Each structure stands twice: as structure tokens, then as C-alpha cells.
Amino acid sequence: TEAATEAAAAAATEAAAATTGDYADKKVGISIYKFDDNFMTLYRTELERYLTEDLGFKKENITIMDGKNDQAEQTNQIDNFINQGVDVLILNLVQSSSAPSVTDKCNEAGIPVVYINREPDAAEEQRWKDEGIKATYVGADARQSGTFQGEEIAELENHGDANGDGVVSYIMVQGDPENVDAQYRTEYSVKALTDAGVKVEELLKQRGDWDQAKGQQIVQDALTQFGDKIDVVFCNNDAMALGALAAIQAADRKVGEDIYIVGVDALTEAVQNVMEGKMTGTVFNDHISQAKTAADIACDFLNGKDVANVNMVDYVKVTNENAQQILDIVK
Ligand code: BGC
């Protein structure tokens, strides 16, 4: 019948729009927790590139704000996006604990939200599902990255016991401890070691807030205080590991010989260090796949498709063996 033909044609048009996408007039509001973060800068750059070059969004329709690590400031930015009537939001919250109130605002305004990088808690994610709220999280399971860090140490011939005293004594340089990424990496890196039957001792755990300069200061002080007792320096991210490495070199310690150090993210400089044996390892926090997934899911919302409440991208272990391969991806 004519109606059936029309319906089929309409369905075909819709399917074409979903895959090819016509996003030229769609407005995207993005807020990053702070621009001054090495990893989120890579992520943000890839997100904008993918939205414009691959998906056909217009650059002038994408607004990216700097949350300046201030939740009140970022909440204002979100209010402005809502007032402007953007079609979809991609948010890297300053405080993931603000997700419930932000989600409610956006939901009332009928604007779908894709949260990235800083994961809201499980109860909040479940609420989106239960109440059919158009909100989702795109990220990576930080437990996996912590486990990989611990395994990189456990897999060494001496299992990380550089000074051979029978115990792996470590210092832990933490990101912002409000962040699950920091909590899980701290917990699971050590767990992987103890699960492998390695005896461990924590000499120090200190927050470096994901920051290179803070990482350097913490490790410089720790090296002065604990000296050769330190076998392993765990850093929750590469920025802090790069700072830590500077402190290690300044103290004349030799990575791979009398000390080990691992980070997370696979920043280009860190991967190069792994290749040259200046860092024991890192873990690729795949900002490219995360940015693409976040953008694709934003499109799914725009196209009225069903979206899962949690979407995880895998981490990849980076050691001397595959560092070149990873470098080719991130460079
Ligand atoms: C990254 C850090 C970054 C943080 C920001 C983490 O997943 O590993 O480098 O600073 O996200 O929230």
C-alpha cells in the first residue's frame, strides 16, 4: 500500500540520517573540568576534531568551556548552555558528585548529557536507567588501569624488589582523591602485586592532584626521606610520573636498575621514556576511542536511539615491548 511504502521510505531516511548524520545545525555544549590538564587537553582536541571533521558538526556550533576546576563556575556554564538551548551536552564534571543535580537540570530542559572522564557514582548511573533519563557515562574502568600498573611491576624478574630486601616498598602519588580514577588506581595497582604473592610496604601516599609539578615535589621529598628504601614509584597518571622521573634523575637513581616507576595515560613523552627504559611502564588511557565514543553516543541521543547508561573503553598496558606501537597511535 501507499502508506506502507511511505513508512518504509521514512524509515530508510531515518536510518540514513543516523549513520551518515546531518549535524550541521546541531549545537553541542562541552565543558572540561579544567583546560590546564595534559590528558584532558588531548581528549578535548580529539573530541573537537572528530565532531567537526568526521561527523560534520560546524565548528561555530560547538562551544567548549574551561571549568577552571571550579564547580560553581562550571555549573554557570551549564546553565548558560541550557538557556542557549544546545541540543546535547558533553560534560567532564569538576566534581562528579554534582552529577545528580546537573542531570536533573538537563533532564527538565530536555537536553541529553554525555558525562566523560569523571565517573558519577553507580547509584546515579542506575537512576538514569531506571528513570529513563537521557544521561550516560563514557570512560574507562580505572580498576583495569590500576591492575595493569601492578602487573607491570609484578612481571619484572625481581617483581619490583629493586634493593632485594624481600619487600616491595613503594610510594603512591595520587591524583585528586575525590576522583574514582585516583581511588581505583591506588587500590588496584597494589592489589595486583599482593595478588601475585608479592610482599609490599607503603612508605608514603600523597595527593598530587594529577599535576606534574606536585608529582615532582612529592617524589623529591620522598627520595630525601626514604632514599634507597624506595623500590617503586606508583603515579596515578603520567603527568605526575614525568615530574617524579625528573626528581628520580636529579637524585641520581636509575630506573630499571635501582628503582621502578609506572604511570597511566600514555602521554607521548611518557611512552618515549618507556621506549628508552627511563620509565618502567605506563597504561594507555585511550582518549581517542573515548572521544569518538562520547561523540557517537551524543549523536545517538540526537537520533533518538537507545543509549546504555555506562560505556567503557579498554585500557592498554604499555611496556618496552609495545611502546613503539602505542607511540604510533598517540603521536
Ligand atoms: C587521567 C588524568 C587526568 C584525569 C582528569 C584521568 O583519567 O588519567 O591524567 O588528569 O583523568 O580527570
Side-chain angles (χ1 to χ4, degrees):
T1 68
E2 199 173 306
T5 317
E6 256 171 44
T13 313
E14 200 185 316
T19 46
T20 61
D22 183 7
Y23 307 116
D25 65 343
K26 296 294 183 202
K27 293 193 175 62
V28 189
I30 301 172
S31 179
I32 300 298
Y33 94 96
K34 67 169 183 176
F35 277 7
D36 181 21
D37 177 292
N38 311 38
F39 174 74
M40 285 315 302
T41 299
L42 297 174
Y43 194 135
R44 160 164 64 98
T45 307
E46 174 59 18
L47 186 58
E48 189 178 18
R49 188 206 65 74
Y50 183 70
L51 282 166
T52 52
E53 289 177 25
D54 293 6
L55 295 179
F57 286 84
K58 287 220 180 88
K59 204 166 179 149
E60 61 266 30
N61 288 338
I62 298 172
T63 311
I64 309 185
M65 302 297 293
D66 179 358
K68 298 187 181 146
N69 209 18
D70 178 343
Q71 188 56 61
E73 165 109 23
Q74 188 178 49
T75 301
N76 276 334
Q77 294 168 359
I78 295 166
D79 289 340
N80 287 336
F81 280 142
I82 291 174
N83 290 334
Q84 289 158 20
V86 297
D87 296 291
V88 63
L89 285 162
I90 299 178
L91 300 178
N92 172 212
L93 291 177
V94 174
Q95 286 169 335
S96 47
S97 56
S98 59
S101 63
V102 172
T103 304
D104 286 342
K105 265 186 208 202
C106 299
N107 188 36
E108 272 161 40
I111 303 173
V113 193
V114 180
Y115 291 107
I116 58 168
N117 174 257
R118 294 192 155 184
E119 189 174 7
D121 66 29
E124 172 64 2
E125 292 172 337
Q126 187 59 40
R127 185 176 76 99
W128 308 333
K129 194 173 172 183
D130 294 343
E131 298 179 15
I133 295 171
K134 287 188 194 314
T136 186
Y137 176 68
V138 174
D141 183 349
R143 285 170 286 208
Q144 189 186 39
S145 53
T147 301
F148 285 168
Q149 286 189 296
E151 286 176 359
E152 286 169 6
I153 299 298
E155 282 158 12
L156 295 168
E157 227 173 85
N158 60 6
H159 313 300
D161 185 10
N163 57 22
D165 65 356
V167 184
V168 172
S169 307
Y170 65 87
I171 61 171
M172 181 67 68
V173 187
Q174 263 200 304
D176 174 354
E178 213 228 344
N179 227 197
V180 289
D181 284 8
Q183 294 161 11
Y184 279 151
R185 288 174 193 165
T186 298
E187 183 185 344
Y188 281 77
S189 53
V190 176
K191 185 175 180 298
L193 273 182
T194 52
D195 283 354
V198 176
K199 211 171 155 227
V200 300
E201 178 195 14
E202 181 174 272
L203 298 172
L204 175 77
K205 177 166 78 188
Q206 206 171 319
R207 65 184 286 177
D209 295 316
W210 306 118
D211 182 78
Q212 181 160 348
K214 288 189 188 172
Q216 181 162 354
Q217 189 63 52
I218 290 167
V219 175
Q220 182 185 312
D221 294 347
L223 285 163
T224 307
Q225 190 180 347
F226 301 107
D228 292 347
K229 255 194 100 58
I230 305 174
D231 295 298
V232 175
V233 178
F234 282 113
C235 296
N236 283 172
N237 77 348
D238 277 348
M240 297 188 296
L242 291 172
L245 179 59
I248 287 171
Q249 289 169 336
D252 254 339
R253 299 286 294 271
K254 294 264 171 312
V255 175
E257 289 175 29
D258 60 32
I259 197 163
Y260 301 102
I261 176 172
V262 287
V264 175
D265 280 342
L267 298 181
T268 302
E269 204 182 331
V271 180
Q272 266 155 354
N273 285 331
V274 174
M275 280 183 65
E276 293 164 16
K278 293 183 198 153
M279 271 176 65
T280 313
T282 183
V283 178
F284 182 28
N285 188 1
D286 188 348
H287 63 279
I288 301 168
S289 298
Q290 288 176 63
K292 285 183 179 162
T293 305
D296 286 344
I297 283 178
C299 290
D300 286 346
F301 274 136
L302 293 175
N303 294 318
K305 285 197 192 167
D306 284 341
V307 166
N309 59 338
V310 179
N311 308 269
M312 294 299 198
V313 164
D314 270 329
Y315 283 100
V316 184
K317 234 186 238 191
V318 186
T319 63
N320 202 265
E321 277 157 43
N322 67 341
Q324 181 63 61
Q325 239 167 286
I326 300 296
L327 193 63
D328 292 340
I329 297 172
V330 298
K331 230 178 157 179

